Amino acid sequence: MTEVELAALAIVVAAIVGSVSILVTFSLLQSLVEINARVELTVAQEDAGSGIVALMASRAGQRAHAEIIGMLEIAEVNDAAVTQTLGKMGRSLQVYDDNGTAVKEYGDFSGGEYTDIALPGGRKGRAGIS
Amino acid sequence: MKGMGILVMGSALIMVVFVIIMPFVQIFFQPVRGEITNIELRTEAYTMGNALAAAGVYMGSALRFSAYQAMHDTGMQGGWDAIPAGKSFQAGEGSYAIWHNGSDVSPSEDELKASLGKSVAAWLGKYREKGFRFLNDYSVRLPVYSPVLVSEFTGSSFSVSAMPDSRMSIQKGSQDGSTNVLLERTASLQDSFSYPYLELFR
């Protein structure tokens, strides 16, 4: 073989070896990458307000707390009893009338979220419960 | 031979460089293959369910307040939602019902029940027309309640049933518009009251 033929043969062999190396490397790297590629899927279920519903729907005697809270502005209320009930439930309460005036506050309400409440006389107020 | 050695070494070096560089080039052009993706699906379905439950409680207390107000209003009209012609008399600025005019003309139990039901329905309408909002952001659509039925006055108690024209519902879509959740809940109302209301008119 002449030197030129040897050189050509060497280039061909190098090209074949190189191509195989590239393919093998690609395959390995892709496998590694695919193993590491993951989709972190989080399903977050928001369940806000369940405590408020529980409080409003629960009863004290024959009346639901929603009705009692609605009557706080007009009724002679035993504030100590209300405070004690809310304390047992770990809650604070702020009640607004239909004009947006705060009529009752029990504890420190800082939740910032309000829920409509029915008031006597066809009126609607708001209660902040946290 | 020295020239050929250099050529072979050069070719091998080029191959090595290819082997090192090409995978990164491929990854660069196909970024999805190697991307670690965090997707958080935040669903408010439970909170929406709580909003519906709270709306049910709201309308439950609205029914009680409506019944109290209706008992007062109906009583002030002598047992009618509107005093029938010929059964009222004027005294000053007030109009009063006549219960006895040679014979008993007071409202019958059925008339009293019908009047009370109409009044309760009117007051319930005031509560439902204002809608219901839960935790600032959750608005519940409330149905129209009609008719409102008052049961027989049994002893000193009676019950009131309000029939809705539809279910109460809440609908909320995601900001990108990809999801839209609609929840519905039965909306009929019923409660009982322990007042000797009929006896007031006898």
Side-chain angles (χ1 to χ4, degrees):
Chain A
M1 281 187 148
T2 64
E3 285 187 0
V4 174
E5 288 171 336
L6 279 171
L9 183 62
I11 290 171
V12 169
V13 169
I16 293 170
V17 170
S19 299
V20 170
S21 298
I22 288 170
L23 290 172
V24 169
T25 308
F26 275 18
S27 177
L28 283 173
L29 272 174
Q30 283 181 0
S31 298
L32 288 171
V33 167
E34 283 173 3
I35 288 169
N36 286 329
R38 68 172 179 269
V39 175
E40 294 180 349
L41 180 63
T42 308
V43 179
Q45 290 284 6
E46 291 203 343
D47 190 18
S50 55
I52 294 173
V53 175
L55 171 63
M56 299 292 257
S58 63
R59 304 183 84 84
Q62 291 186 329
R63 299 180 196 279
H65 277 108
E67 183 182 349
I68 294 170
I69 289 171
M71 292 195 296
L72 286 177
E73 61 165 339
I74 59 167
E76 289 296 326
V77 177
N78 184 341
D79 283 329
V82 175
T83 303
Q84 188 179 19
T85 301
L86 290 168
K88 284 180 182 175
M89 302 179 86
R91 299 199 170 274
S92 59
L93 169 69
Q94 196 169 34
V95 180
Y96 292 84
D97 66 12
D98 52 329
N99 295 316
T101 305
V103 293
K104 286 283 181 180
E105 294 182 36
Y106 301 93
D108 178 27
F109 174 72
S110 55
E113 292 189 310
Y114 297 91
T115 294
D116 288 344
I117 57 171
L119 300 175
R123 296 174 302 132
K124 185 175 78 172
R126 294 182 305 151
I129 303 169
S130 62
Chain B
M1 288 301 286
K2 186 181 178 185
M4 193 179 73
I6 292 171
L7 194 61
V8 170
M9 289 295 289
S11 301
L13 187 63
I14 290 170
M15 292 302 117
V16 168
V17 170
F18 260 56
V19 166
I20 294 171
I21 291 176
M22 283 307 290
F24 292 102
V25 172
Q26 189 190 27
I27 289 170
F28 179 76
F29 285 109
Q30 295 181 330
V32 173
R33 295 192 77 92
E35 193 172 283
I36 297 175
T37 308
N38 289 293
I39 299 175
E40 182 170 328
L41 299 176
R42 187 165 291 279
T43 142
E44 301 172 297
Y46 282 127
T47 306
M48 291 168 67
N50 288 336
L52 279 180
V57 174
Y58 167 82
M59 286 310 299
S61 56
L63 176 66
R64 292 195 68 84
F65 290 139
S66 295
Y68 300 149
Q69 194 70 49
M71 281 190 271
H72 170 269
D73 294 351
T74 306
M76 291 292 286
Q77 299 273 29
W80 284 285
D81 58 313
I83 303 174
K87 289 187 176 180
S88 68
F89 71 95
Q90 205 72 24
E93 294 182 356
S95 182
Y96 301 92
I98 298 172
W99 284 356
H100 199 276
N101 190 13
S103 60
D104 182 7
V105 293
S106 64
S108 67
E109 182 173 350
D110 284 343
E111 287 172 326
L112 183 61
K113 284 162 49 184
S115 297
L116 201 54
K118 282 183 188 174
S119 185
V120 172
W123 281 106
L124 265 183
K126 293 180 185 292
Y127 289 104
R128 62 86 39 196
E129 73 187 10
K130 293 169 184 171
F132 177 75
R133 190 173 289 271
F134 181 69
L135 297 181
N136 295 358
D137 295 327
Y138 297 86
S139 293
V140 177
R141 196 194 71 80
L142 301 171
V144 173
Y145 286 92
S146 183
V148 172
L149 304 175
V150 177
S151 73
E152 300 291 323
F153 294 95
T154 307
S156 59
S157 68
F158 61 97
S159 66
V160 176
S161 303
M163 309 302 168
D165 68 342
S166 63
R167 293 165 175 251
M168 57 176 66
S169 63
I170 181 170
Q171 190 166 10
K172 211 164 179 9
S174 61
Q175 288 185 341
D176 61 3
S178 61
T179 57
N180 192 26
V181 178
L182 168 68
L183 296 181
E184 293 184 333
R185 181 180 190 272
T186 54
S188 57
L189 302 171
Q190 185 183 20
D191 211 332
S192 57
F193 299 85
S194 298
Y195 299 102
Y197 195 61
L198 180 62
E199 293 173 19
L200 294 176
F201 303 90
R202 295 289 178 264

